Amino acid sequence: MRDVLKTVLFRRSSAMVVEECRRCGTTVGSTAANCPECDCEEIVRYTIQ
């Protein structure tokens, strides 16, 4: 979460994509099918501009 906030606050690009588990909020990689923490299959994608 700390890395996401740093990226948003000090970003250099115009948009950032965050992918996280819908159940527990763990940030996951773009190739993840399941959450590594809770094994949930519901991964959401947010584009922050």
Side-chain angles (χ1 to χ4, degrees), residues 8-36:
V8 170
L9 293 174
F10 303 109
R11 65 183 169 193
R12 294 182 183 155
S13 64
S14 60
M16 183 182 103
V17 176
V18 177
E19 294 178 353
E20 67 181 19
C21 174
R22 187 175 293 255
R23 181 186 296 160
C24 71
T26 299
T27 302
V28 298
S30 61
T31 60
N34 292 0
C35 175

Side-chain angles (χ1 to χ4, degrees), residues 2 5 7 10 17 38-40:
R2 182 179 294 167
L5 288 175
T7 304
F10 303 109
V17 176
C38 69
D39 202 37
C40 179

